[in-house]
Amino acid sequence: MSTVKQHRDFFAQFLVRSVGSKNERLLEAFATVEREHFVGKGPWPVFVGSGYIETISDDPRLLYQDILIGLASDRGINNGQPTLHAQCIASCDPVPGETVVHVGAGTGYYTAILAHVVGPIGRVIAYEIESDLASQAKANLSRVANSTVVSASGAEGPLPPADVIYVNAGATHPLRSWLEALKPGGRLVFPLTPNNSPGVMLRIQRQPAQAYSASVICRAAFIPCIGARDDTASESLAKVLDSQSIHRVRSLRLDTAFDSSAWCVGNKWWLSMAERAGAS
């Protein structure tokens, strides 16, 4: 009979290769971090869109599939889809020694993945607004020395300077506090989502002279990020998602008048289909 470790090794290969990544540190992270350590005792609730179904047993091998596991099912909070997170973390491209801020850490599984990727000389600072989940994350990550869990919102107040900010709750717009925390060359990946429908995972990178390149990674749906929602921005975003290609986004502009290259326009920010000077 195959072992849990064999299932986890195959799971890691499947995730990283299926999203087109060759990142060996990411593959190693998914092959090393035990998902069962972060999702509580089984059998586990599996999210199926219309609700949850329970796994047939508490065999941890069942966790090494591309499925969402309920963490707080009454609140719709899940340990998210592994392929989505593999794709987004690969896009963030954290490297050893970097500092990562993880907003919406849940019980810490993807925090542990990030901590493994940046290695012992890097660090991950995880924010979780739900106090019970934050407590679980602190316990789960107690043996991950390069991680810190903050039981607070990652959408209120300044964040520490970061090479990568990875957000796991949906925002209608890029928060200034996230952008201001990015070091030169820093990458922000977050779900840009309207109120009542799926949105996209947006990647923003800080360029020289406070310019920001931007691109869409994929479509995605997330629970709302408290403190990062605006009804007007939601309406604008919903309209553009119905009418424009998500692959045309090239840059983020701040505090300037929008022009004919605008893809989506918000309050003192807009996404452009044109490159910025210095953008990659």
Side-chain angles (χ1 to χ4, degrees):
M1 181 179 292
S2 58
T3 66
V4 176
K5 183 63 170 68
Q6 287 173 318
H7 276 254
R8 192 161 56 246
D9 287 345
F10 176 81
F11 175 73
Q13 289 280 350
F14 170 78
L15 295 181
V16 177
R17 301 309 184 210
S18 67
V19 301
S21 174
K22 297 181 180 180
N23 189 322
E24 292 299 323
R25 291 191 63 82
L26 183 59
L27 191 153
E28 182 183 276
F30 277 108
T32 301
V33 178
E34 300 172 338
R35 198 180 191 191
E36 60 268 32
H37 181 66
F38 295 88
V39 294
K41 295 180 179 180
W44 299 276
V46 177
F47 183 67
V48 293
S50 59
Y52 294 86
I53 60 174
E54 195 170 86
T55 57
I56 59 174
S57 75
D58 62 356
D59 185 339
R61 291 176 298 181
L62 294 169
L63 296 171
Y64 294 105
Q65 305 177 66
D66 192 28
I67 53 177
L68 289 78
I69 304 296
L71 299 176
S73 303
D74 59 320
R75 286 165 274 171
I77 300 174
N78 305 310
N79 179 248
Q81 187 174 20
T83 48
L84 173 65
H85 287 276
Q87 185 176 13
C88 292
I89 294 172
S91 181
C92 289
D93 194 26
V95 298
E98 289 192 321
T99 296
V100 178
V101 169
H102 186 196
V103 176
T107 56
Y109 176 62
Y110 294 109
T111 307
I113 296 291
L114 290 162
H116 190 98
V117 173
V118 299
I121 61 171
R123 65 173 184 149
V124 181
I125 305 158
Y127 288 78
E128 176 50 55
I129 194 172
E130 300 286 342
S131 59
D132 58 333
L133 299 184
S135 294
Q136 293 175 52
K138 289 178 182 179
N140 293 341
L141 293 163
S142 61
R143 57 188 181 183
V144 182
N146 63 335
S147 69
T148 302
V149 177
V150 181
S151 182
S153 169
E156 298 177 0
L159 296 179
D163 300 288
V164 170
I165 299 175
Y166 185 41
V167 182
N168 290 165
T172 54
H173 54 288
L175 295 189
R176 290 300 177 107
S177 59
W178 298 344
L179 297 172
E180 290 168 356
L182 287 178
K183 297 179 182 179
R187 290 84 68 201
L188 163 65
V189 169
F190 75 100
L192 181 67
T193 59
N195 290 341
N196 300 310
S197 58
V200 297
M201 294 300 296
L202 185 67
R203 182 187 190 274
I204 294 172
Q205 184 165 4
R206 181 179 171 184
Q207 304 292 340
Q210 295 295 324
Y212 298 92
S213 61
S215 59
V216 170
I217 301 169
C218 60
R219 293 201 179 258
F222 273 83
I223 61 170
C225 182
I226 297 171
R229 310 297 302 177
D230 176 82
D231 289 344
T232 301
S234 171
E235 291 177 11
S236 297
L237 180 59
K239 289 177 182 178
V240 77
L241 286 170
D242 283 340
S243 61
Q244 296 278 2
S245 168
I246 62 174
H247 302 296
R248 300 187 69 187
V249 176
R250 293 290 181 270
S251 62
L252 169 69
R253 315 292 181 96
L254 301 175
D255 303 321
T256 60
F258 67 89
D259 60 29
S260 60
S261 73
W263 185 82
C264 184
V265 178
N267 182 20
K268 297 184 179 180
W269 67 272
W270 54 288
L271 292 169
S272 172
M273 296 180 284
E275 304 280 359
R276 281 298 294 263
S280 61

